[in-house]
Amino acid sequence: MSYEYKITCAVCQDLIPLVNDHVASEESEQLVLEHTQICKTCRDLLEQINLPHEIQVDDKKIIQAIKKYYVKIGLAVLLVGAILGVAMSRSDAQFYNLILMPVLGVISVFLLGKKFWISLVGIIVVSYVGEIVIYVLFTRTIEWKYLFTAPLTMMVIYLVLTAVGIIIGGLLKFAFKKEK
């Protein structure tokens, strides 16, 4: 089907991207093709735009970057949770640690996978150092034997609670894998 309309180079060059994206009407496409048969400049432009542009996307790098981002955020959440748990240890809210520490363990399993042990190391460090700081700040007379035994006791309690959460998280992860 031949059209008797003729278009200028400016109109053709405006239509070329639409033709290339396959959004131009059939008539517009035909006009561009007819014009490019007689006009070398527009034909060269059409061929240049029609060249296959291969965009190389490395999915693995993108996924790794996203994972790193979420791991960083997750580690920050774990750290804040551990600090919050230690801060609550000398208040009326200390029993919330029975929920908080296992939740931190579950989060670490889903977030860190096989590197869940990082959360245990973090709990050891944060709880021991935090308990020493709390003991020094809130105790008027410092006795050296309590400076190490009280923080050590609390650290073990937090460690056990986090380990319970890790076990629960591992079981949940196992159960979710089975359903897939």
Side-chain angles (χ1 to χ4, degrees), residues 9 13 16 35-36 38-46:
C9 288
Q13 289 169 6
I16 286 175
H35 180 83
T36 54
I38 56 174
C39 178
K40 182 178 179 354
T41 306
C42 291
R43 182 173 49 246
D44 290 343
L45 181 63
L46 180 64

Side-chain angles (χ1 to χ4, degrees), residues 16-24:
I16 286 175
L18 299 175
V19 170
N20 187 49
D21 292 340
H22 305 291
V23 292

Side-chain angles (χ1 to χ4, degrees), residues 2 4 10 14 20 40-41 43 58 65 84 88-90 94 114 129 136 141 158 160 174:
S2 178
E4 52 190 81
D14 286 344
N20 187 49
K40 182 178 179 354
T41 306
R43 182 173 49 246
D58 191 357
L84 182 65
M88 290 188 310
S89 66
R90 296 281 187 254
Q94 72 182 6
K114 292 180 181 177
V129 171
V136 169
T141 59
Y158 294 149
V160 168
F174 178 75

